[in-house]
């Protein structure tokens, strides 16, 4: 039962699905939504829906409705109101101020052409005087040796190396928009989500978000990454590469395919409705390595 729905604190599990409003839900995003939903409901936890709308140039009109309709058709009903990251900007600014006051931020003039191979600042901007008037991004410095690895609930022990955590990364873009890494690190910790379940393509982002949470003294959630769905050529399904929208006329088949992908027990053939399939999947949800 949800705390939000009932007002009672009946659970200590809080999870979320956090799509960007850049298009429809496809088979890959359904898997991420389904995994986080099942993990939460199996633990009698809350499951929230957060719209990561901090990148207006990439937003696609109508996608919030398309995503919420599709989740509802698949029985993935969230707790409480929809949450929009764009409402949190004051908290991101506060986090940046805090990082700056501790000396972790620097202004960077790099464009694509001047970045290092791994995307770090490639021209020592940290040591330059960069005025307010010069278009710049804000980067946070990193120290991979100061970040312990983490235990991924699905993939097991993960360790950080210089290859997984670059020397620095962007927390505010030169166009003034807050970077996904900063927004996710702050919003996943405040108010505290206990468990983040999402696609394995975000594993590298997790190191960055853990780093920011450590610097900001925020309580990190437990992370678990599930296998991404790939197309025939082995590329991750994504809206950018034209992944087809889910066929909302056959949610039962979509759910069964998602469960197969997640290595879950197949619901019996007697489970014909979305409700039956989800009830079985919640009960038998297993987190394997
Ligand atoms: N909005 C991001 C995405 O859709 C965030 C994912 C996440 O942190 O779960 O890729």
């Amino acid at each position: 039962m949800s705390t939000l729905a009932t007002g009672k604190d009946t659970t200590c599990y809080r999870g979320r699905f956090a799509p960007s409003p850049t298009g429809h839900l496809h088979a890959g995003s359904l898997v991420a939504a389904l995994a986080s939903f099942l993990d939460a409901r199996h633990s009698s936890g809350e499951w929230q829906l957060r719209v990561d709308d901090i990148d207006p140039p990439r937003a696609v009109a109508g996608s919030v409705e398309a995503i919420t309709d599709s989740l509802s058709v698949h029985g993935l009903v969230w707790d409480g109101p929809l949450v929009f990251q764009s409402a949190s900007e004051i908290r991101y600014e506060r986090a940046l101020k805090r990082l700056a006051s501790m000396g972790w931020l620097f202004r960077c003039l790099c464009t694509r052409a001047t970045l290092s191979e791994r995307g770090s600042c490639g021209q020592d901007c940290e040591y330059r005087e960069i005025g307010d008037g010069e278009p710049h991004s804000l980067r946070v410095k990193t120290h991979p040796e100061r970040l312990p690895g983490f235990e991924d609930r699905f993939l097991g022990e993960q360790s950080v190396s210089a290859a997984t955590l670059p020397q620095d990364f962007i927390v505010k873009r030169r166009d003034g928009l807050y970077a996904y890494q900063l927004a996710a690190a702050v919003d996943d910790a405040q108010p505290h989500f206990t468990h983040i379940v999402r696609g394995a393509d975000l594993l590298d982002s997790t190191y960055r978000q853990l780093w920011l949470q450590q610097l900001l003294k925020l309580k990190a959630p437990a992370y678990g990454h599930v296998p991404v769905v790939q197309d025939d050529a082995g590329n991750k399904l994504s809206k950018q590469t034209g992944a087809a929208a889910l066929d909302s006329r056959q949610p039962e088949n979509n759910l069964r395919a998602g469960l197969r992908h997640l290595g879950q027990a197949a619901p019996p053939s007697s489970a014909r409705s979305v409700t039956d399939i989800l009830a079985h999947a919640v009960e038998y949800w297993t987190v394997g390595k």
Side-chain angles (χ1 to χ4, degrees):
M1 245 329 180
S2 119
T3 307
L4 287 172
T6 62
K8 282 186 276 176
D9 189 10
T10 53
T11 176
C12 53
Y13 184 118
R14 291 184 76 228
R16 55 51 164 190
F17 176 53
S20 301
T22 50
H24 47 255
L25 219 56
H26 53 73
S29 34
L30 177 69
V31 160
L34 183 60
S36 60
F37 172 87
L38 295 176
D39 199 54
R41 297 305 193 217
H42 182 76
S43 302
S44 307
E46 282 175 16
W47 188 67
Q48 292 191 6
L49 183 58
R50 185 182 78 209
V51 178
D52 287 359
D53 59 341
I54 46 163
D55 193 352
R58 284 188 59 227
V60 172
S63 50
V64 175
E65 293 71 19
I67 291 169
T68 51
D69 286 353
S70 188
L71 288 172
S72 301
V73 165
H74 289 85
L76 303 178
V77 178
W78 57 96
D79 295 314
L82 261 188
V83 175
F84 289 86
Q85 278 198 318
S86 52
S88 283
E89 295 194 345
I90 191 155
R91 299 191 307 134
Y92 309 147
E93 206 47 53
R94 227 180 275 144
L96 287 179
K97 280 215 174 80
R98 207 145 162 229
L99 292 170
S101 70
M102 294 185 286
W104 285 105
L105 296 190
F106 67 92
R107 293 179 171 187
C108 178
L109 296 175
C110 283
T111 58
R112 225 174 266 272
T114 58
L115 290 177
S116 79
E117 243 171 63
R118 287 211 317 275
S120 303
C121 168
Q123 48 181 2
D124 293 331
C125 292
E126 186 181 343
Y127 307 104
R128 298 195 192 181
E129 268 307 309
I130 297 172
D132 292 346
E134 289 181 89
H136 60 268
S137 59
L138 288 179
R139 288 178 173 268
V140 64
K141 303 175 223 173
T142 67
H143 278 306
E145 67 281 2
R146 286 182 47 185
L147 183 67
F150 71 99
E151 179 70 23
D152 188 286
R153 294 179 51 237
F154 299 85
L155 303 173
E157 189 62 34
Q158 303 293 309
S159 55
V160 182
S161 68
T164 43
L165 192 68
Q167 279 177 322
D168 53 67
F169 59 90
I170 291 184
V171 282
K172 191 170 187 185
R173 297 168 15 178
R174 60 196 278 139
D175 58 9
L177 296 175
Y178 299 99
Y180 157 65
Q181 306 296 353
L182 177 81
V186 169
D187 285 342
D188 286 341
Q190 255 180 358
H192 185 56
F193 285 100
T194 56
H195 297 76
I196 302 298
V197 176
R198 58 189 179 186
D201 55 313
L202 291 168
L203 200 50
D204 278 358
S205 291
T206 300
Y207 294 110
R208 293 167 172 80
Q209 292 163 23
L210 280 167
W211 176 246
L212 289 170
Q213 287 161 353
Q214 179 169 302
L215 294 180
L216 292 164
K217 300 202 172 28
L218 297 172
K219 190 158 185 245
Y223 288 95
H225 296 83
V226 296
V228 295
V229 180
Q230 297 178 332
D231 61 18
D232 294 342
N235 302 313
K236 181 201 156 216
L237 279 196
S238 77
K239 290 171 267 199
Q240 287 73 25
T241 54
L246 285 166
D247 183 349
S248 58
R249 291 164 307 180
Q250 46 162 348
E252 298 84 3
N253 291 351
N254 299 336
L255 288 173
R256 284 182 179 275
L259 289 170
R260 262 196 311 277
H261 181 81
L262 290 165
Q264 301 298 305
S269 49
S270 58
R272 294 216 178 84
S273 67
V274 160
T275 311
D276 292 347
I277 292 171
L278 287 178
H280 185 276
V282 167
E283 184 170 354
Y284 293 98
W285 171 248
T286 51
V287 174
K289 278 182 202 163

